Amino acid sequence: MTSPSNIADGCAAPDQSAPIPASVDLQKETVITGVVSNAEGEAVGGAYVRLLDSTGEFTAEVVTSPEGVFRFFAAPGTWTLRALSRHGNGDLAVDATRGVNEVGLSVSS
Amino acid sequence: MSRDTALVSADWAEKNLDTQGVVFVEVDEDTTAYDGGHIPGAVKIDWKTDLQDPVRRDFVNQEQFSKLLSAKGIANDDTVILYGGNNNWFAAYAYWYFKLYGHGDVKLLDGGRKKWELDARPYSKDVPNRPATQYQASAPDLSIRAFRDEVVQAIGVKNLVDVRSPDEFAGRLLAPAHLPQEQSQRGGHIPTAISVPWSKAANEDGTFKSDEELAKIYGEAGLDGSKDTIAYCRIGERSSHTWFVLKELLGQQNVKNYDGSWTEYGSLIGVPIALGDEPGKA
């Protein structure tokens, strides 16, 4: 099977703004996705979004697309999203369930 | 080696962008980041197309490395400052290559692209024009590279450090959480390996923790300072990050990176595998 073109076969994060690949089964996957925005409500591209597990342990990190979009393939449960950017930082707790969990994450200094 | 000789800060980097004999090199898997803006004057190295052999499953040999660095305009006596995304994973991997091929003066930019971005430091889209050099790589220093047979023999004998995430270590995942689950044939870890995820060594801005914090982390995880050490991950880049910490920051002797890592080990016929969160028995 070939990999979808927007997924790297190394360890870099796939293109965050690309559509979810057709091969991803949303009946099984727990996708946490959203947009990072600043205090003025503008999307923040180039922000670092970290996925922390329920104990606060680092799990994964991606860089937002120019439109501020990020996405993780996680598992059902409680997670913390933490965004770091040149406009400041922000945190958000997420109770994720199977399927697509869409959230907004704001940063401020 | 020590922190003073192996690392530079973002402040130092910004003050030395135009210093003669200092070459900044961005190393990444996804080089679109470089194309969209990089540290002014930096050249780019693509983790895959520049550093991997296009045919054999191995990285570039001595001759290929010499040719690459010559074409990039890097000389044997240049001070090379490596940085990249992904918390410097690929930059650390390249650092290990530069050491393997005997480059004299190579350092990592502490925090890599992330720290540079969070500090709101300047980028450039200009690609520097560096005249080609006649770079001569040394024969590979295999004292820092582990191969599979040595890894199997190290079970229960040397320190094996698995730097993947806890779920990959236990065999619940085959790859990091933001990637599709593919690659090796089996999940799990090498028996007797201790689990110290690479991320333990880094602050959230991508910089390395202090030597005191680092020594405590590996000590508490059960790393025996009197034994030789082999670090591994999935494809050898996250373990380069940990190799850098143990060898270059903490100054441990005899630390090797197993670049075959779990992608190779988890596909070998007949080798022992441990499942679950405990190291397991030899």
Side-chain angles (χ1 to χ4, degrees):
Chain A
M1 198 180 102
T2 53
S3 295
S5 59
N6 65 328
I7 289 187
D9 57 2
C11 274
D15 179 358
Q16 296 296 297
S17 59
I20 295 176
S23 61
V24 172
D25 183 351
L26 290 175
Q27 304 293 315
K28 291 183 184 161
E29 296 277 358
T30 302
V31 179
I32 301 174
T33 184
V35 174
V36 175
S37 51
N38 63 16
E40 284 74 48
E42 297 155 348
V44 179
Y48 290 81
V49 183
R50 297 163 73 80
L51 180 70
L52 312 177
D53 71 15
S54 58
T55 68
E57 197 61 50
F58 173 87
T59 302
E61 179 180 279
V62 295
V63 181
T64 57
S65 70
E67 298 78 32
V69 176
F70 64 88
R71 179 195 301 149
F72 293 102
F73 296 92
T78 305
W79 300 90
T80 298
L81 293 166
R82 176 157 174 77
L84 310 174
S85 81
R86 56 169 69 197
H87 304 287
N89 304 333
D91 295 288
L92 182 73
V94 181
D95 276 316
T97 54
R98 265 181 229 292
V100 177
N101 298 261
E102 207 161 337
V103 298
L105 183 51
S106 51
V107 292
S108 59
S109 48
Chain B
M1 294 301 293
S2 70
R3 188 167 289 259
D4 298 336
T5 49
L7 269 185
V8 297
S9 67
D11 276 338
W12 183 94
E14 196 170 348
K15 288 187 187 114
N16 285 277
L17 294 177
D18 299 317
T19 301
Q20 196 70 25
V22 174
V23 186
F24 288 85
V25 182
E26 179 163 328
V27 190
D28 253 316
E29 182 178 51
D30 173 9
T31 52
T32 57
Y34 176 93
D35 300 338
H38 48 264
I39 293 182
V43 297
K44 74 170 166 183
I45 287 182
D46 184 313
W47 173 79
K48 180 168 282 175
T49 60
D50 288 332
L51 293 179
Q52 304 296 316
D53 186 280
V55 179
R56 287 176 306 119
R57 183 134 183 274
D58 202 350
F59 56 68
V60 290
N61 63 26
Q62 186 180 352
E63 188 191 347
Q64 290 167 312
F65 192 74
S66 300
K67 205 172 151 193
L68 171 69
L69 266 57
S70 298
K72 296 288 178 189
I74 297 170
N76 284 79
D77 58 357
D78 279 335
T79 295
V80 174
I81 311 296
L82 299 166
Y83 75 97
N86 279 290
N87 293 278
N88 266 343
W89 289 353
F90 294 96
Y93 189 73
Y95 179 100
W96 177 68
Y97 275 49
F98 275 79
K99 283 289 178 187
L100 191 101
Y101 286 124
H103 190 84
D105 195 7
V106 56
K107 301 169 196 291
L108 272 187
L109 171 58
D110 201 13
R113 258 194 93 98
K114 178 154 66 169
K115 176 75 174 148
W116 195 266
E117 164 66 23
L118 297 179
D119 288 351
R121 295 179 194 270
Y123 293 106
S124 167
K125 287 190 180 177
D126 298 338
V127 176
N129 182 17
R130 300 185 63 84
T133 61
Q134 297 288 322
Y135 193 90
Q136 295 285 336
S138 304
D141 173 7
L142 296 181
S143 73
I144 59 172
R145 187 183 193 193
F147 294 94
R148 61 176 183 250
D149 291 348
E150 183 183 355
V151 170
V152 173
Q153 284 158 14
I155 295 171
V157 178
K158 296 181 181 176
N159 294 307
L160 287 164
V161 185
D162 188 315
V163 316
R164 298 173 299 161
S165 63
D167 282 342
E168 291 172 88
F169 179 84
R172 293 185 286 266
L173 291 181
L174 289 175
H178 61 272
L179 292 174
Q181 301 299 307
E182 56 190 15
Q183 304 270 345
S184 65
Q185 296 295 313
R186 290 287 189 271
H189 60 268
I190 303 173
T192 72
I194 57 171
S195 171
V196 189
W198 69 273
S199 54
K200 297 270 189 204
N203 296 308
E204 70 173 7
D205 65 2
T207 56
F208 290 101
K209 289 183 178 164
S210 71
D211 290 352
E212 295 70 30
E213 289 172 299
L214 292 171
K216 188 162 178 273
I217 288 163
Y218 294 97
E220 286 179 354
L223 191 82
D224 181 344
S226 67
K227 290 182 179 172
D228 293 355
T229 299
I230 298 172
Y232 74 94
C233 60
R234 186 179 67 128
I235 55 173
E237 27 49 295
R238 283 178 286 177
S239 50
S240 302
H241 187 274
T242 296
W243 173 85
F244 179 88
V245 169
L246 295 175
K247 183 109 180 14
E248 305 295 270
L249 297 184
L250 296 180
Q252 276 205 22
Q253 301 297 308
N254 303 323
V255 185
K256 293 188 178 188
N257 181 28
Y258 171 37
D259 58 295
S261 272
W262 194 256
T263 299
E264 176 175 80
Y265 192 95
S267 300
L268 291 175
I269 299 285
V271 295
I273 288 178
L275 291 174
D277 298 307
E278 297 302 320
K281 291 189 170 31

